[in-house]
Amino acid sequence: MCRNPNLTLAKMNKLTEILHDISRAFVTEYKLLFTDAGALLFIIFLPLAYPVLYSLVYNPEIMKDIPVAVVDDCRTPMSRQYARMLDATDLVKVAGYAANMQEAKTMLNRKDVFGVVHLPEDFSRKVGRGEQADIEVYADMSVFLRYKNIMSATTVVGNELGSKAQSSKLTGLEDAQAQHNMPVPFRIVPLGNSTMGMASAILPGILVMILQQVFVLCICMVMATSRERKLANGGIDPQAANVGAFAMLIGKSLCYFTIMIGPMIYLWRFMPIAFSLPQNGHLIDVFMLAVPFIFAVIFFALTMQTFVRKRESVFCVVVVTSVFFVFISGISWPRFAMNPFWTIVGDAIPSTWAVQGLWGISNMGATLAQQRTCYLALWLLTAAYFVISYLLLRFVDHQRKIE
């Protein structure tokens, strides 16, 4: 069977033409980006400044020795032991004793303390009988970490003291000996966040959001500038590459992919090192997860830029969506506890899957195979947004030619 040499040559010419158009779109996008002072400023400034700012806000990420006041209405050796054990923790410190709750309230209002622990009159009697003894804890909720420390310290000390009293009662040992014979000894083993700090829990997700929002902003800004040039030149952008929709998308995506590699390495690798964030996974798994995420973000931005008409409107889009994307990604609230509708909406945003995947790899030490759901979802979003952006670009080009 003989092949038609003319047909083969035509296919080769067509392929060469497509590759030439892709390279033109690639080079043109580079020129447009690096001649746009606003977009260039955001690419350089935001990835450098934002993570440092966020990290410094949460540094140090652990609060220790939160001052509290103790109101001891029991005034027994056991209640005094509870106060000493509370002061011995590294979470809180007993800054003083108050004669009554009114005095403790005054100390709290003056910010001398940020919490009050009230031991009632029957505290020792109920503990000695093996009954439930109630301890009243009042905590300042203006800073969540203070509240967490106060509640954690009082809970741990209460459990330990109760276990020692129960052990002494059951075995007949003296209190000093009972301290080493707790019925159910326990210890806290934090998973993924060994310091139990806010920065280690939140910043990996924030670094993903920064990378996404920076390039959504830049891509939309460059396209909005192109539309402004079209308005000034009768519907034609003299600086744009006159190529087809497919070549345009491939050229743009390759351009932004090469640009995003640098900020990605800085945000996902050097920032965790600089601020001692968890890095329990393999570096190759992190970079493999980044590849579909970067492409998904690019085509997501190329889809969004169709609806941006002016440079000023880009900021409105980014400001409105940035907080929304943070909430639905699972950083501040677990996704399994969300309404199913918002879970579906979050599934359509690249950062949602990247946050879950990066957190699992970096914090929990998971492998890419264990995070394959996030990995495959990012590739699926890449394909979906490529098709959507291609159809939108074809429609826009068609409308431009009609006009």
Side-chain angles (χ1 to χ4, degrees), residues 292-293 296 299 347-348 350 353 372-388:
F293 170 65
F299 292 120
D347 290 343
W353 297 105
R372 61 183 176 273
T373 300
C374 299
Y375 184 70
L376 295 176
L378 287 171
W379 278 119
L380 181 62
L381 288 180
T382 299
Y385 281 120
F386 173 80
V387 173
I388 295 172

Side-chain angles (χ1 to χ4, degrees), residues 166-182:
Q166 188 69 13
S167 175
S168 177
K169 181 178 179 180
L170 292 175
T171 62
L173 299 176
E174 296 295 331
D175 183 66
Q177 295 176 323
Q179 293 181 7
H180 304 285
N181 293 274
M182 295 173 60

Side-chain angles (χ1 to χ4, degrees), residues 254-390:
L254 292 177
C255 168
Y256 287 108
F257 181 83
T258 56
I259 294 174
M260 288 180 71
I261 290 296
M264 184 276 296
I265 294 175
Y266 171 75
L267 290 172
W268 290 16
R269 179 58 178 170
F270 290 107
M271 288 307 302
I273 293 176
F275 289 93
S276 301
L277 301 179
Q279 297 182 82
N280 299 321
H282 293 289
L283 185 60
I284 187 65
D285 290 336
V286 174
F287 287 159
M288 288 291 291
L289 180 72
V291 172
F293 170 65
I294 291 175
F295 278 117
V297 168
I298 291 171
F299 292 120
F300 174 67
L302 290 172
T303 299
M304 291 187 65
Q305 54 87 18
T306 306
F307 307 100
V308 177
R309 298 295 177 182
K310 297 180 180 180
R311 287 174 65 92
E312 294 80 7
S313 60
V314 174
F315 297 97
C316 298
V317 172
V318 173
V319 169
V320 170
T321 59
S322 59
V323 177
F324 174 71
F325 290 162
V326 168
F327 284 135
I328 64 176
S329 67
I331 296 177
S332 60
W333 186 256
R335 298 187 72 236
F336 64 80
M338 294 181 184
N339 183 283
F341 172 78
W342 295 116
T343 303
I344 295 173
V345 173
D347 290 343
I349 309 301
S351 58
T352 300
W353 297 105
V355 166
Q356 302 298 322
L358 183 63
W359 198 92
I361 293 173
S362 296
N363 286 40
M364 301 298 294
T367 63
L368 188 63
Q370 293 171 328
Q371 293 294 315
R372 61 183 176 273
T373 300
C374 299
Y375 184 70
L376 295 176
L378 287 171
W379 278 119
L380 181 62
L381 288 180
T382 299
Y385 281 120
F386 173 80
V387 173
I388 295 172
S389 59
Y390 174 78

Side-chain angles (χ1 to χ4, degrees), residues 69-122:
V70 174
V71 180
D72 187 3
D73 288 338
C74 185
R75 302 179 187 277
T76 61
M78 181 173 290
S79 65
R80 289 191 290 270
Q81 181 185 3
Y82 179 91
R84 289 193 300 270
M85 293 173 63
L86 191 66
D87 187 53
T89 67
D90 60 351
L91 298 176
V92 300
K93 67 175 181 180
V94 177
Y97 288 83
N100 49 54
M101 288 300 299
Q102 185 60 41
E103 183 180 342
K105 182 178 179 180
T106 302
M107 296 173 66
L108 192 63
N109 291 337
R110 290 200 311 258
K111 302 299 181 183
D112 295 334
V113 297
F114 296 100
V116 176
V117 179
H118 177 221
L119 302 175
E121 295 181 3
D122 57 356

Side-chain angles (χ1 to χ4, degrees), residues 62 187-197 200 280 359 363-364:
I62 300 177
R187 63 190 181 97
I188 299 174
V189 182
L191 297 177
N193 186 357
S194 58
T195 62
M196 295 189 291
S200 297
N280 299 321
W359 198 92
N363 286 40
M364 301 298 294

Side-chain angles (χ1 to χ4, degrees), residues 197-214:
M198 290 292 289
S200 297
I202 293 177
L203 277 182
I206 294 297
L207 296 178
V208 172
M209 301 301 304
I210 292 173
L211 189 63
Q212 174 176 281
Q213 291 302 89
V214 164

